[in-house]
Structures are given as C-alpha cells and as structure tokens.
Amino acid sequence: MNVNQVLESTLSPDASTRQNAEQQLSQAAEVDFSGYLTTLAQELANEHAQPHIRTAAGIALKNAFTAREYARLRELQRRWLQHVDSSAKSVVKDLALKTLASKDARAGQSAGQFVASIAAIELPKNEWPQLMQTLVANVGDGADHLKQASLATIGYICETEDTELRDSLVQHSNAILTAVVQGARKEETNLDVRLAAITALGDSLEFVRTNFDNEGERNYIMQVICEATQSGDGRIEAGAYGCLNRIMGLYYDKMKFYMEKALFGLTVMGMKNEEEDVAKLAIEFWCTVCEEEIAIEDDNAMAR
C-alpha cells in the first residue's frame, strides 16, 4: 500500500475514490494494527510531508479510536491494549508527542487529538505516567506553537465524557492546573497560547476540586481568570467569562467573597462589552447565580 497515495485519496472530492481509500485503510488496520498506527504516526510526524497528507494521517489516527457506539469504542480501545506491543506503543506515543512541536498547526492539533485518544485508554489504568509531566514541561519551556498544542491537548483530554478517564484525571489535577494557569496568566504575551490555556482551564475545572478547596490556590486561579476578562482580546475574555460561569455551577458555595470583591463589577463591565459573545456570557453569569440560589431555596424548603 502506497500510504501517501491512499491518504491523499481519503481527501478526494470523488466519493468512490474516497470510499476505496478508506476501505484500504480499514483493511490495513485489520491485518496489522500495530504497523498501521506506526506508519500513520510517522507520516503525521514527518516535517517533510505535505500538510494535507499529515492532516489525512491525523484524521485516520483519530478514526482508529473513534466510534459512536460505546461497545464499538471499547472494542477499538482493546485493540490497542491487546494487539500493539509495548515497543510499538512507545514509538507511536513518542511520534505523537514529537508532532506537538510542529510548526504546522493542523498537524499539532491532530497529534493532540490522537494523544487524547490514547490517554483515554492508558490514564485510567495508571499507564503513561509521564504524559502530564511532559505536557506541563512543554508549556513551561516550549516554543509558542508547542505551548499552544500542548494546552489544546490537555483540553482534549479533559473534555472527555469517558467516566473512567474523568475519575482518573482527579489525581492529575496539580499537573493540569500548573500548565493551564501558567499559560492563562497576563504575563503570557502570545494571545493564542493564552486562549488555548483559558479553554483548557474551562475544560479542567471539574477535576480540580481539591485545589479549589485550598484558599491560596483558589485565590490565584480566580485572579488569573478575572485578569483574563480584561485581556482586551474578545476570544480570551469570552473564554474567561465561560470559566466563571462553570465555576459558579461547580463551586458556588465558595464564591461569596469573590462576588463581593470583584465579580459583580467585572460582569457589569462585561455586559457592556461591544463583543456580543462576551456580553452574553457576562449575562449568563447571573443566570447561573439565579439557578444556584433557586436550588438553595428549594433545598431549604425541603429541609423544613
């Protein structure tokens, strides 16, 4: 199989050509799943390959672990556990992590989605322990495009609906917060990096309850988010207000101090923002507050 030709055909506007190419990929995966993943990961990581070929390789890798039905998804995940040896796993994962550093943003994004697919299999089994440390190090020391791709990867991992993965992410809360808060700070001069960090922070809030229970950590997280609402970039400001809305739904019992000191003024300013998305999210903040207060009243009424 000429992998470049087949991958290019998967992007063909001709349905027949595209379907034939997809069938060839499926057959290759059935015959040698380990070799199939390795070949695709090599193409994704190949800085000399044409961008659209790398994109096609990324799509094929993502599809190898994507299914609408839960039973089918578990079957695909078992193939990784049972039919890919440890050596091949290491090669594939290393290639994916290497691709996060690519200056081709689409390749980096595809690699991040693939890393998240493997994380969903391995993190609940306490495997790939170095993943989060690697992503944190990338955000701390990497070039801007590596920071952005690594933060996006954390976001992809955290936005999962997989129950086992969600449960396992709690133990990684410190690493997750270290990366996303560092990227979201006002000191971060690259706005795309800061946006990726705010987005990942919004996805991770559910898993950092222990950190929110600590007043010092909570104060710092809230400071970073509040400063982001004043960033001057509409995308970041909308993301920050989205974080505040999620926090209100998750940690309302800890928010009285912040509402008195900062959040009232910030959200009033947000409602007047010329960016419609920002204004809507600032209004939504108070809708969330109302919902929480109604729930408290209902609970109190039932307790009487």
Side-chain angles (χ1 to χ4, degrees):
M1 180 178 75
N2 183 327
V3 65
N4 277 4
Q5 185 176 356
V6 174
L7 288 172
E8 185 153 16
S9 295
T10 63
L11 303 174
S12 171
D14 180 71
S16 176
T17 301
R18 192 169 61 249
Q19 185 176 18
N20 182 54
E22 290 168 352
Q23 287 177 348
Q24 288 186 65
L25 289 177
S26 296
Q27 291 169 1
E30 290 295 332
V31 172
D32 180 9
F33 190 56
S34 179
Y36 173 75
L37 294 179
T38 302
T39 299
L40 290 178
Q42 288 170 338
E43 285 304 311
L44 180 61
N46 184 1
E47 291 292 331
H48 301 292
Q50 296 182 57
H52 69 281
I53 295 296
R54 301 179 76 183
T55 298
I59 292 171
L61 283 168
K62 181 182 177 183
N63 289 344
F65 296 99
T66 302
R68 293 180 180 177
E69 297 81 15
Y70 180 79
R72 175 59 178 163
L73 175 61
R74 284 292 185 244
E75 180 185 335
L76 294 175
Q77 291 177 336
R78 278 195 296 272
R79 290 169 76 181
W80 170 264
L81 294 170
Q82 298 173 3
H83 300 295
V84 182
D85 61 42
S86 58
S87 176
K89 286 178 181 176
S90 294
V91 169
V92 169
K93 291 188 290 188
D94 287 347
L95 286 168
L97 289 174
K98 173 187 173 185
T99 309
L100 294 177
S102 175
K103 293 183 179 180
D104 181 340
R106 288 183 299 177
Q109 180 184 37
S110 294
Q113 292 171 334
F114 180 55
V115 167
S117 296
I118 303 304
I121 304 171
E122 297 204 342
L123 291 185
K125 301 182 182 303
N126 294 315
E127 299 177 1
W128 210 359
Q130 70 275 27
L131 171 60
M132 285 303 178
Q133 288 92 331
T134 299
L135 296 175
V136 171
N138 289 350
V139 175
D141 304 323
D144 286 346
H145 52 273
L146 176 56
K147 289 181 181 180
Q148 186 177 350
S150 298
L151 287 163
T153 301
I154 293 172
Y156 297 143
I157 293 170
C158 289
E159 69 184 9
T160 180
E161 296 181 3
D162 187 292
T163 304
E164 292 183 4
L165 177 55
R166 293 170 75 87
D167 291 342
S168 73
L169 286 175
V170 174
Q171 65 182 295
H172 298 286
S173 63
N174 287 333
I176 291 169
L177 266 183
T178 297
V180 298
V181 171
Q182 181 168 347
R185 295 177 308 161
K186 65 181 179 181
E187 289 79 9
E188 175 55 64
T189 56
N190 186 299
L191 295 180
D192 289 331
V193 170
R194 199 174 179 193
L195 174 62
I198 283 288
T199 302
L201 178 56
D203 289 328
S204 68
L205 286 168
E206 185 177 339
F207 311 111
V208 297
R209 183 170 296 276
T210 301
N211 306 85
F212 255 83
D213 287 339
N214 181 296
E215 183 180 359
E217 293 186 50
R218 183 172 69 246
N219 286 344
Y220 187 55
I221 295 167
M222 293 301 294
Q223 176 187 331
V224 168
I225 296 173
C226 288
E227 288 173 348
T229 67
Q230 306 300 301
S231 69
D233 184 294
R235 304 168 303 162
I236 295 170
E237 291 177 2
Y241 280 113
C243 285
L244 290 176
N245 294 346
R246 289 212 68 192
I247 289 169
M248 281 293 144
L250 291 167
Y251 307 112
Y252 188 69
D253 59 314
K254 296 179 172 62
M255 288 297 109
K256 181 179 179 181
F257 170 79
Y258 307 101
M259 291 176 71
E260 292 174 350
K261 296 295 182 180
L263 298 182
F264 176 78
L266 287 177
T267 51
V268 169
M269 289 175 58
M271 292 181 207
K272 300 175 182 178
N273 196 296
E274 294 181 358
E275 292 281 347
E276 184 177 352
D277 288 343
V278 175
K280 284 181 178 178
L281 286 163
I283 294 169
E284 187 178 318
F285 173 90
W286 289 103
C287 295
T288 305
V289 171
C290 290
E291 290 171 359
E292 292 298 321
E293 288 292 336
I294 291 169
I296 291 171
E297 285 295 318
D298 290 343
D299 290 343
N300 291 339
M302 292 177 66
R304 294 191 190 108

